[in-house]
Amino acid sequence: MRTQVGIVGAGPAGLTLARLLEVAGIESVVIENRDRDYVERRIRAGVLEQGTVELLREAGVAERLDREGIVHHGIHLQFDGERHHVPLSELADGRSITIYGQTEVVKALIAARLASGLPLLFEVDGVSVHDLDTERPRIRFAHEGAQLELECDAIAGCDGFHGVCRPSIPSGVLRSFEREYPFGWLGILAQVAPSIDELVYAHHESGFALLSLRSPELSRYYVQCRPDEDIGEWSDERIWEELQLRTGLAGWTLDEGPILEKGVTGMRSFVAEPMRYGRLYLAGDAAHIVPPTGAKGLNLAVSDVRILAEALVAWYSTGSTTGLDGYSDACLRRIWRAEHFSWWMTSMLHKLGDDPFDAQLQLSQLRYVTSSYAAARSLAENYVGLTTL
Ligand code: FAD
Ligand code: DHB
């Protein structure tokens, strides 16, 4: 088998790249080790930056997003028993965010790929990548009982943090930067109308909580927990109790409903540089991870593949490698900004331990962000996505 671009991983990065290449008339094959149902049901991010929405629209996969996505112009920060509104759009030159589940983005991309009759292979096994520093890199894998080899011009490693592409780069090439946090998030999807019109990020002495949503009937809520938390210790009653405690305000209560899904996510910051080795280009979680507090993971994955697609299009149309040579640096500028913002939001909002000095610094920072125009604007422009990087 032969293609122009071999794409490993059918998450947001791989599927979006495949779509952008299709629009530009470049062939690709996408291979994914899980089944379609699993990929479409994996509940993860829910906040799309305006730039992400615009890109999906240009790629012709935003029809349902435009109908069902919920545009938000602000968020709330809650601490010390008070809820403060941060008017994102007012602060960030009219830009906004759209609440729309990653699951729905992925479903639209898969449907578009299959409707175009282009190769997207689920449930592949034993993926390995070879000859990365030659002009004919190869992907080997098994599919439906057959052992296959795909010869490519370039390979996009879009296989997430635990994928095979990054570890296939010879040792000594990559430099990695990492930070682990001593907490995680327990997330639930609940069948109840959201009790709030905009997201609430709550700092509380019992731990952080976040109120988000997926639709007028579905709420998505999170509470800070231990990174290795045993979900079995969290009955539905205990989850609601913690959410009520951490987000409750005089005169306002959180409406409860049946919990449809719950899970624990660990938190880490991670960057591997450069995002390229020979003809292998890493994109999305395969190259970097942010803690979810800044809502950046999915948006960064999309921004990486936008840059990669443009570079590949330039290479195929003019032979110029300038874009491909600059790919890693161009992505990393935005990635490190998002790494800082996500670390900062995480450090400001979570219970870090029992040190009263830390707690006072956090409160001071929260008061500053909710009272100073300059500080609020800085949060807002990062949250909606910087346009200057
Ligand atoms: P992924 O979505 O991880 O996609 C990689 C794909 O590659 C997967 O489909 C995987 O099955 C496939 N794959 C892996 N190995 C192989 C292989 N060997 N061969 C073939 N295919 C392979 N971000 C937020 O902003 N907010 C959130 O609330 C949030 N919650 C999250 C919860 C969890 C549990 C996780 C893991 C991430 C969360 N994120 C969140 C981050 C966000 O979802 C990711 O940044 C985003 O999914 C990155 O997209 P991606 O395509 O780079 O990687
Ligand atoms: C959601 C996830 C986030 O990480 C975040 O910062 C805001 C919202 C969500 O799943 O809706």
Side-chain angles (χ1 to χ4, degrees), residues 7 13 22 42 51 83 137 148 172 225 230 253 269 272 303 310 318:
I7 301 177
E22 177 192 347
R42 199 164 35 191
R83 195 171 284 170
L148 301 170
C225 62
D230 174 6
T253 41
S269 301
S303 132
E310 280 169 9
T318 68

mmCIF file of all heavy atoms in Angstrom, residues 7 13 22 42 51 83 137 148 172 225 230 253 269 272 303 310 318:
data_model
loop_
_atom_site.group_PDB
_atom_site.id
_atom_site.type_symbol
_atom_site.label_atom_id
_atom_site.label_comp_id
_atom_site.label_asym_id
_atom_site.label_seq_id
_atom_site.Cartn_x
_atom_site.Cartn_y
_atom_site.Cartn_z
ATOM 1 N N ILE A 7 -1.428 8.608 8.543
ATOM 2 C CA ILE A 7 -1.822 9.256 9.799
ATOM 3 C C ILE A 7 -2.104 8.182 10.844
ATOM 4 O O ILE A 7 -2.987 7.342 10.661
ATOM 5 C CB ILE A 7 -3.065 10.154 9.584
ATOM 6 C CG1 ILE A 7 -2.765 11.219 8.524
ATOM 7 C CG2 ILE A 7 -3.509 10.788 10.906
ATOM 8 C CD1 ILE A 7 -3.953 12.127 8.184
ATOM 9 N N ALA A 13 -6.773 15.277 16.389
ATOM 10 C CA ALA A 13 -5.627 15.696 15.563
ATOM 11 C C ALA A 13 -5.612 14.931 14.245
ATOM 12 O O ALA A 13 -5.578 15.536 13.161
ATOM 13 C CB ALA A 13 -4.308 15.486 16.326
ATOM 14 N N GLU A 22 -7.604 16.298 2.682
ATOM 15 C CA GLU A 22 -8.611 15.945 1.669
ATOM 16 C C GLU A 22 -9.063 17.199 0.906
ATOM 17 O O GLU A 22 -9.102 17.215 -0.330
ATOM 18 C CB GLU A 22 -9.824 15.290 2.348
ATOM 19 C CG GLU A 22 -10.947 14.973 1.366
ATOM 20 C CD GLU A 22 -12.262 14.602 2.054
ATOM 21 O OE1 GLU A 22 -12.268 14.340 3.282
ATOM 22 O OE2 GLU A 22 -13.299 14.591 1.357
ATOM 23 N N ARG A 42 -15.719 8.464 23.565
ATOM 24 C CA ARG A 42 -14.734 8.858 24.574
ATOM 25 C C ARG A 42 -14.977 10.313 24.985
ATOM 26 O O ARG A 42 -14.681 11.240 24.242
ATOM 27 C CB ARG A 42 -13.353 8.677 23.933
ATOM 28 C CG ARG A 42 -12.217 8.592 24.842
ATOM 29 C CD ARG A 42 -10.978 8.033 24.164
ATOM 30 N NE ARG A 42 -10.854 8.428 22.774
ATOM 31 C CZ ARG A 42 -9.989 7.900 21.923
ATOM 32 N NH1 ARG A 42 -9.176 6.951 22.308
ATOM 33 N NH2 ARG A 42 -9.921 8.316 20.686
ATOM 34 N N GLY A 51 -11.069 30.064 17.074
ATOM 35 C CA GLY A 51 -10.210 29.654 15.955
ATOM 36 C C GLY A 51 -10.449 28.195 15.574
ATOM 37 O O GLY A 51 -10.382 27.825 14.392
ATOM 38 N N ARG A 83 -19.203 34.566 43.581
ATOM 39 C CA ARG A 83 -19.017 34.223 42.172
ATOM 40 C C ARG A 83 -18.773 35.512 41.387
ATOM 41 O O ARG A 83 -19.521 36.466 41.521
ATOM 42 C CB ARG A 83 -20.293 33.531 41.678
ATOM 43 C CG ARG A 83 -20.132 32.818 40.382
ATOM 44 C CD ARG A 83 -21.361 31.975 40.069
ATOM 45 N NE ARG A 83 -21.413 30.755 40.869
ATOM 46 C CZ ARG A 83 -22.471 29.945 40.927
ATOM 47 N NH1 ARG A 83 -23.562 30.248 40.253
ATOM 48 N NH2 ARG A 83 -22.432 28.868 41.664
ATOM 49 N N PRO A 137 9.199 6.766 4.502
ATOM 50 C CA PRO A 137 8.854 6.186 5.802
ATOM 51 C C PRO A 137 7.689 5.190 5.647
ATOM 52 O O PRO A 137 6.889 5.331 4.722
ATOM 53 C CB PRO A 137 8.449 7.403 6.631
ATOM 54 C CG PRO A 137 8.035 8.436 5.641
ATOM 55 C CD PRO A 137 8.869 8.198 4.417
ATOM 56 N N LEU A 148 -0.012 -5.617 7.026
ATOM 57 C CA LEU A 148 0.080 -4.624 5.952
ATOM 58 C C LEU A 148 1.263 -3.694 6.164
ATOM 59 O O LEU A 148 1.693 -3.461 7.302
ATOM 60 C CB LEU A 148 -1.213 -3.788 5.899
ATOM 61 C CG LEU A 148 -2.497 -4.594 5.656
ATOM 62 C CD1 LEU A 148 -3.717 -3.728 5.861
ATOM 63 C CD2 LEU A 148 -2.491 -5.183 4.245
ATOM 64 N N GLY A 172 17.734 10.446 22.521
ATOM 65 C CA GLY A 172 18.694 11.542 22.351
ATOM 66 C C GLY A 172 18.194 12.624 21.409
ATOM 67 O O GLY A 172 18.723 13.732 21.400
ATOM 68 N N CYS A 225 -9.795 15.570 42.827
ATOM 69 C CA CYS A 225 -9.687 14.362 43.645
ATOM 70 C C CYS A 225 -8.221 13.936 43.666
ATOM 71 O O CYS A 225 -7.373 14.634 43.111
ATOM 72 C CB CYS A 225 -10.560 13.262 43.048
ATOM 73 S SG CYS A 225 -10.056 12.788 41.377
ATOM 74 N N ASP A 230 -9.873 5.994 43.579
ATOM 75 C CA ASP A 230 -10.672 4.821 43.240
ATOM 76 C C ASP A 230 -12.112 5.290 43.051
ATOM 77 O O ASP A 230 -12.780 5.708 43.990
ATOM 78 C CB ASP A 230 -10.572 3.808 44.398
ATOM 79 C CG ASP A 230 -11.499 2.628 44.181
ATOM 80 O OD1 ASP A 230 -12.121 2.536 43.092
ATOM 81 O OD2 ASP A 230 -11.592 1.793 45.111
ATOM 82 N N THR A 253 -28.672 26.879 44.228
ATOM 83 C CA THR A 253 -28.264 25.476 44.404
ATOM 84 C C THR A 253 -28.089 24.820 43.049
ATOM 85 O O THR A 253 -28.665 25.247 42.045
ATOM 86 C CB THR A 253 -29.299 24.638 45.190
ATOM 87 O OG1 THR A 253 -30.588 25.019 44.742
ATOM 88 C CG2 THR A 253 -29.145 24.742 46.676
ATOM 89 N N SER A 269 1.552 18.166 32.883
ATOM 90 C CA SER A 269 2.052 19.039 31.824
ATOM 91 C C SER A 269 3.195 18.279 31.182
ATOM 92 O O SER A 269 4.020 17.688 31.891
ATOM 93 C CB SER A 269 2.600 20.342 32.406
ATOM 94 O OG SER A 269 1.612 21.041 33.122
ATOM 95 N N ALA A 272 7.295 17.481 24.367
ATOM 96 C CA ALA A 272 8.466 16.856 23.734
ATOM 97 C C ALA A 272 8.870 17.719 22.543
ATOM 98 O O ALA A 272 8.032 18.059 21.707
ATOM 99 C CB ALA A 272 8.139 15.442 23.284
ATOM 100 N N SER A 303 -4.774 23.171 16.374
ATOM 101 C CA SER A 303 -3.861 24.203 15.883
ATOM 102 C C SER A 303 -2.577 23.578 15.310
ATOM 103 O O SER A 303 -2.058 24.024 14.285
ATOM 104 C CB SER A 303 -3.646 25.218 17.005
ATOM 105 O OG SER A 303 -2.327 25.508 17.207
ATOM 106 N N GLU A 310 -0.926 23.067 6.353
ATOM 107 C CA GLU A 310 -0.439 24.165 5.499
ATOM 108 C C GLU A 310 0.968 23.869 4.987
ATOM 109 O O GLU A 310 1.279 24.111 3.823
ATOM 110 C CB GLU A 310 -0.426 25.481 6.289
ATOM 111 C CG GLU A 310 -1.808 26.121 6.382
ATOM 112 C CD GLU A 310 -1.859 27.286 7.384
ATOM 113 O OE1 GLU A 310 -0.799 27.727 7.886
ATOM 114 O OE2 GLU A 310 -2.992 27.719 7.678
ATOM 115 N N THR A 318 4.688 23.376 -4.114
ATOM 116 C CA THR A 318 5.838 24.151 -4.607
ATOM 117 C C THR A 318 7.171 23.443 -4.379
ATOM 118 O O THR A 318 8.211 23.909 -4.839
ATOM 119 C CB THR A 318 5.929 25.509 -3.873
ATOM 120 O OG1 THR A 318 6.278 25.247 -2.498
ATOM 121 C CG2 THR A 318 4.633 26.285 -3.913
#
